[in-house]
Amino acid sequence: SRDISAVSKEDQENLEEELLNELQEKTSEEFFKNLDSDTLFIEETLTGTPSAKSFSSKIGDEASTLKLSLTISAKGIAVKKDDLLELSKKQLEDKIPDGFVLRNEQIDLEFDYLGENKEVYDLRLIVSANLLPAVEPNSVKDKVVGKYPKVVEGYLKSEIPGFSRAEISFNKPRFPGRLGTLPRVASHIEVVITGEK
């Protein structure tokens, strides 16, 4: 509501626009809240249409405030993430170089909303893939046990395609000098392979 002296058409239109935007924002939050983790909601497709409205005063009425009761019907598009990931992998599978693999967690999906005509939505899907080397973490463990970090980095650079950098951290204080090697037991080493963002 807002303070006014007499109701004009502009007052009604401005109040309706403000309230419609507020309700659309709340509706968007509700959509996101009720989605499961496998569903992507395309926020740009959300549209709210007033289905019922009632102003406290008509145009020209004297009033100190103007109130509006507004109900909207909202609709938007949500898609199954797994379906898009499978489609993306099919499109990309013949473009993956030898020695690399494409995993679901390395695929980013983004939409461009181009418009809507008679409930037909025009969207562009942008797929970004971060390829990972086809390496078994356990085989890496076996190669690096008991090695110095510099030796490990040299091995990774020469043996793993697309290798960029390694971060080696120790749970316990690292011994200095010649004692500062990786653990000598493979089960005490954890290897995590990730793509750079």
Side-chain angles (χ1 to χ4, degrees), residues 102-159:
L102 179 59
R103 296 193 177 103
N104 283 358
E105 61 272 14
Q106 294 303 121
I107 298 175
D108 287 325
L109 303 169
E110 189 182 321
F111 287 94
D112 265 355
Y113 174 61
L114 304 175
E116 184 236 337
N117 184 19
K118 296 179 182 173
E119 297 196 359
V120 175
Y121 291 88
D122 191 6
L123 303 165
R124 179 187 297 124
L125 173 63
I126 301 159
V127 180
S128 306
N130 216 338
L131 300 177
L132 293 176
V135 174
E136 268 300 317
N138 286 337
S139 69
V140 174
K141 284 185 195 182
D142 293 338
K143 300 277 188 188
V144 301
V145 289
K147 302 273 193 305
Y148 292 106
K150 288 284 181 201
V151 174
V152 170
E153 284 193 46
Y155 159 74
L156 296 172
K157 279 181 187 167
S158 63
E159 295 295 320

Side-chain angles (χ1 to χ4, degrees), residues 63-81:
S64 57
T65 60
L66 177 63
K67 295 180 181 179
L68 168 62
S69 174
L70 182 67
T71 305
I72 65 167
S73 295
K75 63 179 179 176
I77 292 182
V79 291
K80 287 287 182 191
K81 192 174 181 180

Side-chain angles (χ1 to χ4, degrees), residues 12 15 22 26 33 35 46 61 77 84 97 108 112 190:
Q12 286 190 343
L15 182 56
E22 189 182 321
K26 287 182 179 176
K33 217 188 289 180
L35 288 180
L46 178 67
D61 286 355
I77 292 182
L84 287 178
D108 287 325
D112 265 355
E190 182 184 6

Side-chain angles (χ1 to χ4, degrees), residues 19-121:
L19 188 52
L20 185 59
N21 288 340
E22 189 182 321
L23 289 175
Q24 280 184 315
E25 210 171 287
K26 287 182 179 176
T27 305
S28 180
E29 288 169 13
E30 285 299 314
F31 268 73
F32 278 115
K33 217 188 289 180
N34 293 313
L35 288 180
D36 57 43
S37 59
D38 181 39
T39 307
L40 290 173
F41 173 57
I42 305 166
E43 196 172 1
E44 294 84 356
T45 64
L46 178 67
T47 54
T49 310
S51 55
K53 63 181 174 182
S54 172
F55 287 100
S56 60
S57 302
K58 296 192 287 278
I59 295 169
D61 286 355
E62 267 189 53
S64 57
T65 60
L66 177 63
K67 295 180 181 179
L68 168 62
S69 174
L70 182 67
T71 305
I72 65 167
S73 295
K75 63 179 179 176
I77 292 182
V79 291
K80 287 287 182 191
K81 192 174 181 180
D82 284 348
D83 293 344
L84 287 178
L85 290 173
E86 284 310 307
L87 178 65
S88 302
K89 283 166 86 172
K90 279 182 186 168
Q91 293 296 316
L92 295 171
E93 63 189 356
D94 59 341
K95 296 172 178 64
I96 299 170
D98 288 341
F100 288 88
V101 292
L102 179 59
R103 296 193 177 103
N104 283 358
E105 61 272 14
Q106 294 303 121
I107 298 175
D108 287 325
L109 303 169
E110 189 182 321
F111 287 94
D112 265 355
Y113 174 61
L114 304 175
E116 184 236 337
N117 184 19
K118 296 179 182 173
E119 297 196 359
V120 175
Y121 291 88

